[in-house]
């Protein structure tokens, strides 16, 4: 025969017998949510990379194109590997952005569509090539 003192000893610290079953279900629910978040995070990057044009552009080129579109500055490039004591990512281009800054910033760049970065990258390279040809005698 067990007494209530023995049942209390089996419970985790801070759990009273009245709430023991609820704590068990909360622990299970939190564990399921954490596993779902890890799985979601693992699949987010590959799908986003393909959406932006991964097989055609490398991940560094995708990053650079996103910076150029976001900050309206064609000179920004993603650095890989990033310098250990460098400025925070995107801090150097913040002054060229055309966004409305405030409590809730409003972006002024257009939404990027499926694989549209490939087209933007190709157009930028074509503009640079024609400007180089016009500049050289």
């Amino acid at each position: 025969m067990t007494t209530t003192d023995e049942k209390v000893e089996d419970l985790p610290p801070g759990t009273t017998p009245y709430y023991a079953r609820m704590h068990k279900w909360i622990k299970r629910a939190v564990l399921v949510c954490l596993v779902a978040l890890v799985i979601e995070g693992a699949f987010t990057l590959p799908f986003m990379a393909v959406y932006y044009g991964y097989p055609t552009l490398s991940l560094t080129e995708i990053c650079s194109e996103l910076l150029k579109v976001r900050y309206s500055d064609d000179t920004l490039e993603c650095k890989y590997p990033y310098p250990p004591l460098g400025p925070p990512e995107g801090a150097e281009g913040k002054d060229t952005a055309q966004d409305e800054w405030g409590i809730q910033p409003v972006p002024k760049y257009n939404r990027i569509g499926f694989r549209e970065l490939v087209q933007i990258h190709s157009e930028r390279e074509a503009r640079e090539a024609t400007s180089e040809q016009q500049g050289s005698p």
Side-chain angles (χ1 to χ4, degrees):
M1 202 162 172
T2 61
T3 63
T4 39
D5 292 336
E6 292 175 2
K7 287 183 183 177
V8 171
E9 290 176 9
D10 294 340
L11 298 175
T15 303
T16 61
Y18 183 77
Y19 292 110
R21 201 171 87 193
M22 179 185 70
H23 285 195
K24 176 178 67 175
W25 283 103
I26 288 175
K27 190 188 309 184
R28 289 177 182 173
V30 167
L31 185 63
V32 166
C33 289
L34 287 175
V35 168
L37 282 172
V38 167
I39 291 172
E40 177 195 9
F43 288 117
T44 299
L45 180 66
F47 287 128
M48 282 180 55
V50 168
Y51 180 83
Y52 287 132
Y54 171 66
T56 308
L57 301 174
S58 69
L59 291 178
T60 307
E61 289 173 330
I62 290 173
C63 175
S64 296
E65 290 300 320
L66 287 173
L67 279 177
K68 290 173 184 176
V69 168
R70 180 178 178 196
Y71 294 116
S72 305
D73 185 0
D74 288 348
T75 61
L76 293 176
E77 294 286 333
C78 282
K79 300 172 186 80
Y80 180 80
Y82 200 76
L85 299 175
E89 187 73 43
E92 58 188 334
K94 188 175 179 183
D95 56 343
T96 60
Q98 299 172 356
D99 303 340
E100 291 179 16
W101 296 98
I103 295 174
Q104 183 68 37
V106 178
K108 292 295 182 181
Y109 53 86
N110 295 330
R111 179 172 286 180
I112 297 172
F114 179 71
R115 300 186 62 82
E116 194 175 344
L117 282 183
V118 176
Q119 177 185 356
I120 293 170
H121 181 73
S122 300
E123 290 172 357
R124 179 176 288 112
E125 284 184 339
R127 278 195 314 265
E128 290 174 357
T130 56
S131 67
E132 286 178 8
Q133 288 177 355
Q134 292 174 355
S136 63

